[in-house]
Amino acid sequence: LQPPPPAPPLWERGGEAEDTHLAEGNPTPGPSPLGKGRGGLLEPIAEQIHFSFNSLLWIRYVIRKIFVMAKYIKLAQVESTNTYLLQVAGELPGATVIYTPCQTAGRGQKGNRWLAQPGMNATFSYLYKPQGIAAREQFCISEAAALAVATVLSAECGEPITVKWPNDIYHGDRKICGMLIENSLQGRQVDYSVIGIGINVNQREFDAYAPNPTSLSLVTGCDHDPYQVMCKVCDCLEQLLARVEREGTQALHADYLSVLYRRDGQPHAFSLPDGTEFAATLIDVAPDGMLALRHTDGSLHHYAFKQVAFLIDNSRL
């Protein structure tokens, strides 16, 4: 006797032909936003494939390695795309993107806020379900995300874009993009990762709490399509993550170091949480994300996020 076929995954159940638009307000996670969207070849191929055995691992392999394309789900308004995606991540395939033109309570690193004018920027979260990334090497996901954004924005503006450790994206000494990457671990492996990205695209005015912001529009002098910017970043991110799985977690490390903000062999100003200021040269970033700085006395020190801060003279911006 053959076992009964598995129930169709959530992303194949009904829905509209285009991106799903939810009503204004705070949507409740459920099947409604997960209809057939921009799945490319995914949906017709998934409908045609029939297996005589119940092998969810094989189905996942076929979809992820051969046919997967990013699936974009639009929410008309949401407090945080990361918070929403974390709630429904178990029901979604990898490479799903939740995006919104109106994020009302975006979250940054360590509880920082990320506010964006409605319709002006690219605010989205990308779901990554890796194969074989150890928890101790999870920083490679951050490297891939930062490189994807830096690569796309550099191409868009035709100027150098750098990554301020760990994953803020800078044009000169001004921040153009922030990220919040939240990993869910299963044992010693990364089960899935929610990669939240907020890119300042067309916003030209910012709240006073943001000390050194800029946007793609301010850099180039013209407006850009936030949706197209997001799609380019997601396409690049997919390629970089595929390279990590193919070549190993250190595959992107040299590229990441090459675009690291202030990694120029010169001493720069930093500060500790107690206010102590010092000068040091940025040397390296370890696989676990620790920053290596060589102080002017020659000693090498390692810092975790929030244990050290870059000092930027805002009066010169």
Side-chain angles (χ1 to χ4, degrees), residues 136-178:
R136 67 179 183 277
E137 297 179 321
Q138 61 187 283
F139 189 71
C140 67
I141 300 173
S142 182
E143 289 183 331
L147 278 170
V149 176
T151 298
V152 170
L153 295 188
S154 181
E156 289 289 314
C157 70
E159 298 183 21
I161 297 292
T162 59
V163 178
K164 184 169 82 67
W165 174 84
N167 52 30
D168 282 340
I169 309 301
Y170 268 51
H171 174 264
D173 287 324
R174 292 184 179 273
K175 182 176 176 178
I176 195 171
C177 170

Side-chain angles (χ1 to χ4, degrees), residues 10 68 117-118 148-149 169 201 207-208 228 247 251 264 271 275 277 301 309 314 316-317:
L10 192 57
V68 124
Q117 292 179 356
V149 176
I169 309 301
V201 180
D207 291 342
Q228 292 300 321
E247 301 177 17
D264 54 7
S271 67
E277 298 183 4
H301 298 258
N314 292 326
R316 300 178 60 183
L317 297 179

Side-chain angles (χ1 to χ4, degrees), residues 52-253:
S52 60
F53 53 91
N54 186 7
S55 175
L56 294 180
L57 289 177
W58 177 251
I59 292 173
R60 170 182 283 189
Y61 177 85
V62 171
I63 291 175
R64 291 186 74 255
K65 296 300 184 183
I66 303 177
F67 302 118
V68 124
M69 297 175 66
K71 179 180 179 65
Y72 297 88
I73 299 172
K74 180 179 181 180
L75 306 182
Q77 177 177 305
V78 70
E79 289 186 353
S80 163
T81 57
N82 257 39
T83 299
Y84 184 92
L85 187 50
L86 283 168
Q87 292 173 338
V88 297
E91 295 290 326
L92 292 167
T96 297
V97 180
I98 301 292
Y99 73 103
T100 182
C102 186
Q103 181 170 250
T104 60
R107 297 184 292 119
Q109 295 279 3
K110 298 294 183 180
N112 294 334
R113 296 185 305 160
W114 180 270
L115 299 180
Q117 292 179 356
M120 303 295 287
N121 304 310
T123 49
F124 60 98
S125 296
Y126 180 100
L127 178 61
Y128 175 47
K129 295 191 173 182
Q131 298 293 312
I133 293 183
R136 67 179 183 277
E137 297 179 321
Q138 61 187 283
F139 189 71
C140 67
I141 300 173
S142 182
E143 289 183 331
L147 278 170
V149 176
T151 298
V152 170
L153 295 188
S154 181
E156 289 289 314
C157 70
E159 298 183 21
I161 297 292
T162 59
V163 178
K164 184 169 82 67
W165 174 84
N167 52 30
D168 282 340
I169 309 301
Y170 268 51
H171 174 264
D173 287 324
R174 292 184 179 273
K175 182 176 176 178
I176 195 171
C177 170
M179 298 185 196
L180 176 61
I181 299 175
E182 299 179 278
N183 296 322
S184 176
L185 306 181
Q186 189 172 56
R188 298 181 179 180
Q189 302 289 314
V190 177
D191 185 25
Y192 63 85
S193 179
V194 171
I195 303 170
I197 299 175
I199 303 173
N200 296 331
V201 180
N202 294 324
Q203 187 166 335
R204 292 173 177 260
E205 297 181 357
F206 298 88
D207 291 342
Y209 83 92
N212 61 332
T214 190
S215 68
L216 193 56
S217 179
L218 286 172
V219 172
T220 64
C222 61
D223 286 345
H224 300 258
D225 184 345
Y227 180 81
Q228 292 300 321
V229 172
M230 175 189 68
C231 289
K232 291 177 182 179
V233 169
C234 290
D235 287 345
C236 187
L237 179 56
E238 283 187 49
Q239 296 176 34
L240 291 173
L241 291 173
R243 183 180 167 192
V244 168
E245 293 197 3
R246 186 174 63 250
E247 301 177 17
T249 56
Q250 290 296 296
L252 305 178
H253 190 60

Side-chain angles (χ1 to χ4, degrees), residues 7-18:
L10 192 57
W11 64 93
E12 288 184 40
R13 302 176 198 167
E16 301 174 356
E18 296 298 329

